[in-house]
Amino acid sequence: MQTFKQPLTKERELYYLKRSKEGDLSARNLLVEYNLRLVAHIIKKYNNFDRDIDDLISIGTIGLIKAINTYDIEKGNRLVTYASRCIENELLMMLRQERKCSKEFSLYEPIGTDKEGNEINLLDIVEYEGKDIAEQVILEDNIKQLYESLEVLLDQRELEVLTLRYGLFNRSPYTQREVSNQLGISRSYVSRIEKKALAKLRRSFDCFTA
């Protein structure tokens, strides 16, 4: 059975996080090594006889690395709290991808032949108007990923600003000036918060699609 190292102290964790933010890969790798116990703990709920434990650890570790790369030291929370959400998100993405692949397979599964003897499948008889099915699936998946990332990556003020600006969670969108009036802060401050929040989300999406 694989053994894992005990978690770092808060002081040592902060030290290596700062080194990692400065581009020290050895510091980042050390943080990964000392948090593999967390990955092993979280993947237990996703483990069953149909999945290889090493594959789950690999996927969970990807989430851990993304957490280390995007963690905001200024928030003051322990890395384990933030990393747990990121690892969960990575595993949930895996499950969604599995379901998507299952659905795609069923669409192409032969269901009979036409009058001329040509094989037909479910996709041939599905009527769909509007966007391409594949594009729609990708769009819906990206939207789910966005909403799952909001509370993980953003602080309360950033989430509040983006929610008002872009009408998230079925709310009406507002201009920067309207947001500044509602929150009682300057328009320039709203703009800075918005840009910072969007940059965080963009980096997250770049990691997911890399």
Side-chain angles (χ1 to χ4, degrees):
M1 179 179 294
Q2 185 176 0
T3 58
F4 301 101
K5 294 186 176 182
Q6 292 296 323
L8 293 166
T9 64
K10 185 176 181 179
E11 292 74 19
R12 297 301 293 173
E13 178 181 274
L14 180 60
Y15 170 76
Y16 287 116
L17 279 168
K18 289 180 178 179
R19 293 283 301 274
S20 179
K21 290 295 182 183
E22 294 170 356
D24 188 338
L25 289 180
S26 62
R28 188 203 69 179
N29 293 339
L30 188 144
L31 286 167
V32 171
E33 184 179 353
Y34 275 87
N35 283 281
L36 284 177
R37 179 186 295 272
L38 175 64
V39 174
H41 174 73
I42 293 175
I43 66 173
K44 288 180 181 178
K45 69 175 70 175
Y46 299 93
N47 187 27
N48 57 40
F49 296 108
D50 297 326
R51 295 192 177 92
D52 185 85
I53 188 68
D54 290 333
D55 289 342
L56 288 174
I57 290 178
S58 296
I59 294 168
T61 302
I62 292 174
L64 174 60
I65 293 172
K66 290 177 180 179
I68 294 170
N69 289 340
T70 59
Y71 177 73
D72 188 352
I73 298 176
E74 300 301 322
K75 287 187 176 181
N77 296 325
R78 290 296 300 270
L79 175 64
V80 63
T81 304
Y82 177 68
S84 296
R85 297 290 300 275
C86 292
I87 294 168
E88 288 271 7
N89 283 346
E90 199 68 28
L91 291 165
L92 288 172
M93 285 179 59
M94 173 201 69
L95 293 176
R96 288 204 306 272
Q97 185 62 35
E98 287 181 354
R99 288 197 295 268
K100 186 195 301 182
C101 291
S102 176
K103 290 177 181 178
E104 289 173 354
F105 176 78
S106 64
L107 285 175
Y108 288 96
E109 183 73 14
I111 60 174
T113 58
D114 59 19
K115 293 180 179 180
E116 298 178 353
N118 298 313
E119 186 177 87
I120 58 175
N121 53 49
L122 184 59
L123 187 62
D124 292 325
I125 62 174
V126 171
E127 293 185 0
Y128 183 81
E129 296 180 358
K131 294 183 178 180
D132 178 82
I133 292 178
E135 291 180 355
Q136 186 69 18
V137 169
I138 293 173
L139 174 61
E140 292 177 357
D141 196 56
N142 285 339
I143 291 173
K144 289 180 181 178
Q145 179 184 318
L146 171 63
Y147 275 92
E148 290 173 357
S149 301
L150 290 173
E151 295 184 358
V152 174
L153 299 177
L154 307 183
D155 60 32
Q156 187 60 39
R157 179 48 62 92
E158 291 168 343
L159 178 59
E160 192 174 22
V161 168
L162 286 195
T163 298
L164 292 173
R165 280 286 290 121
Y166 296 96
L168 303 179
F169 305 103
N170 297 317
R171 300 180 61 173
S172 300
Y174 296 95
T175 65
Q176 287 184 352
R177 186 179 300 281
E178 290 171 331
V179 174
S180 70
N181 291 335
Q182 289 193 45
L183 300 182
I185 57 180
S186 68
R187 182 179 177 182
S188 60
Y189 189 34
V190 170
S191 178
R192 289 198 300 272
I193 294 174
E194 180 181 346
K195 289 179 180 178
K196 182 180 178 181
L198 290 175
K200 286 183 179 180
L201 293 174
R202 189 175 298 111
R203 286 196 299 269
S204 175
F205 269 75
D206 288 343
C207 289
F208 283 128
T209 57

